[in-house]
Amino acid sequence: MGEDENILEELDDIQKNGLEALASVQDEAGLQAWRTAHLGRSAPVMLAFTRLGQISKEMRPMVGQKANQVKLALEAALKTRAEAVKTASLRQKLDTERLDVTLPGRRPTMGRLHPAAQALSEIIHIFEEMGFQEYRSPEVETDELNFELLNIPAYHPARDMWDTFHTTVPGTILRTHTSPGQIRAMREMCPKPIRVILPGMVYRYEQTNASHEMQFNQVELLAVGKNITLGDLKGTIEGFAQRMFGEAVRVRMRPSYFPFTEPSADIVMECFVCGSKGCPVCKYSGWLEIAGCGMLHPVVLRNGGYDPAVYSGFAAGLGPERIALLKYQVDDIRNFWQNDIRFLEQF
Ligand code: DAH
């Protein structure tokens, strides 16, 4: 009988010891260890259950009940303690990992438009105000459109003016100028009058130097209609130059040659660096070349679907990087596509 009563006291102690031990548990690992020691298979309260068989019949229900109570009490205490440990560790995390809003932020570097893109959009904007519509044509082009239909047959020495990148597909090249877009626009819009600009990248297999790159942008200008004259071309170009460089700028047309225009001209602008006195930028000529232009050759008009006896038109090809070069006084055109951030950040 003494043995049986002792076990009740023992169970009280088991509970008391368990609760005491639990009070000093501070973290997840401690909780695990406590669970094994106090509720695991060989924990004192669990062993009490296995001893029930040796207890007298009268006492057995009481001891069993008691053991159950102790087990439940320990389990409940564990649950409460586990919650407390979790809350405490969260609070500690929040305290130590708090966002310090008094720290000055790191300013992100702001992107901006590439200087060539800036010049391009300024040029496009000016021509749009003058009534020209933007028309895009492909950079990978056929030999036929890039040359043949622009009145440059395969044997023609004028082909030397455009050193060409060829592709592995015969007859398919990277366009050397935006002029093939003239044929595309005419064929699409014929017989309606046309006022379009064709901006985009062109490619030439060239030795690069301060004023020549393998890739650069062009803006092609095309007007087709009845009674379009050289005067219209000159007025359009002058109007453009004045908006781009200021009212006082002087431009002139210098006779030139292009197979797709007749007559043809280069557009030259007075050198703003030296005021036309002569300097390294204008190679001491006082004038800077910004575009080629001319009246559409009858062959080109016909290839576009327009009868040259009824229609006439003008075209021009401008180099936005050249224009940016002049506007920002950059001394080497290769800077534009070298991706040197120190250069690009200046614009
Ligand atoms: N396509 C010529 C070139 O890249 C430039 C040019 C000259 C375009 C005269 C024209 C033009 O439309 O009329 O060299």
Side-chain angles (χ1 to χ4, degrees):
M1 147 99 187
E3 171 70 13
D4 291 351
E5 279 177 357
N6 276 350
I7 197 166
L8 288 177
E9 272 171 34
E10 216 181 289
L11 279 166
D12 278 333
D13 285 343
I14 289 171
Q15 178 166 345
K16 197 168 140 251
N17 291 341
L19 295 181
E20 265 173 28
L22 188 58
S24 58
V25 168
Q26 301 293 348
D27 54 18
E28 193 57 40
L31 287 169
Q32 284 296 348
W34 185 91
R35 188 202 306 273
T36 314
H38 297 272
L39 285 167
R41 229 182 310 152
S42 40
V45 67
M46 295 308 188
L47 294 177
F49 285 109
T50 63
R51 279 157 61 195
L52 280 180
Q54 301 147 24
I55 288 170
S56 66
K57 245 197 178 126
E58 309 81 66
M59 287 293 285
R60 204 178 292 160
M62 220 207 290
V63 173
Q65 211 178 14
K66 180 76 182 170
N68 235 345
Q69 280 168 3
V70 171
K71 184 174 162 250
L72 289 176
L74 290 175
E75 278 172 355
L78 174 63
K79 202 171 158 216
T80 314
R81 188 68 202 151
E83 296 276 309
V85 165
K86 205 169 134 195
T87 313
S89 91
L90 186 64
R91 176 155 314 129
Q92 197 210 351
K93 259 199 188 139
L94 287 175
D95 282 348
T96 54
E97 297 170 13
R98 193 175 332 142
L99 197 64
D100 183 356
V101 290
T102 63
L103 204 69
R106 277 181 212 110
R107 202 173 277 282
T109 40
M110 291 284 275
R112 69 191 81 188
L113 282 181
H114 188 281
Q118 287 180 35
L120 198 59
S121 65
E122 200 174 336
I123 294 166
I124 291 171
H125 183 71
I126 292 171
F127 282 118
E128 278 177 349
E129 279 187 346
M130 294 168 88
F132 287 82
Q133 197 178 337
E134 192 174 336
Y135 186 94
R136 293 266 169 182
S137 70
E139 292 179 16
V140 180
E141 191 51 283
T142 62
D143 181 281
E144 189 188 22
L145 276 148
N146 196 85
F147 293 119
E148 300 273 338
L149 296 172
L150 290 171
N151 200 27
I152 318 169
Y155 58 82
H156 201 284
R159 285 223 178 188
D160 287 351
M161 291 163 76
W162 295 277
D163 296 311
T164 312
F165 281 112
H166 295 267
T167 69
T168 49
V169 182
T172 303
I173 59 169
L174 298 188
R175 66 175 175 190
T176 59
H177 50 177
T178 43
S179 302
Q182 289 185 23
I183 302 290
R184 288 178 180 275
M186 281 193 276
R187 288 187 168 178
E188 189 182 317
M189 297 179 197
C190 183
K192 286 182 278 196
I194 300 178
R195 310 275 185 277
V196 289
I197 37 168
L198 303 118
M201 194 62 89
V202 302
Y203 304 87
R204 295 204 191 159
Y205 186 59
E206 282 194 342
Q207 198 61 48
T208 62
N209 61 36
S211 55
H212 291 84
E213 249 294 23
M214 286 204 192
Q215 64 168 82
F216 51 96
N217 284 290
Q218 279 193 338
V219 177
E220 191 86 10
L221 202 61
L222 175 69
V224 182
K226 290 174 181 164
N227 306 316
I228 290 183
T229 68
L230 193 69
D232 295 322
L233 169 59
K234 190 160 191 283
T236 304
I237 294 296
E238 276 177 2
F240 162 75
Q242 284 172 356
R243 289 181 201 209
M244 191 81 194
F245 294 100
E247 292 286 322
V249 74
R250 287 192 300 158
V251 286
R252 70 187 176 118
M253 288 159 82
R254 195 167 59 186
S256 184
Y257 171 74
F258 296 101
F260 31 87
T261 42
E262 183 59 38
S264 303
D266 285 331
I267 298 161
V268 292
M269 210 185 80
E270 73 178 317
C271 181
F272 58 89
V273 178
C274 59
S276 278
K277 287 188 188 70
C279 72
V281 174
C282 61
K283 301 197 192 98
Y284 300 97
S285 73
W287 296 89
L288 294 162
E289 201 181 306
I290 58 163
C293 67
M295 299 305 290
L296 292 186
H297 194 286
V299 168
V300 173
L301 272 170
R302 205 174 295 123
N303 287 339
Y306 289 83
D307 179 357
V310 181
Y311 294 92
S312 58
F314 67 73
L318 293 92
E321 282 92 340
R322 280 272 176 92
I323 290 171
L325 203 83
L326 301 181
K327 193 156 175 140
Y328 306 124
Q329 308 194 10
V330 176
D331 60 1
D332 195 319
I333 204 164
R334 287 168 294 191
N335 283 323
F336 283 107
W337 304 111
Q338 244 155 18
N339 265 350
D340 186 334
I341 205 85
R342 292 165 303 177
F343 169 75
L344 298 173
E345 268 174 356
Q346 297 173 60
F347 302 95

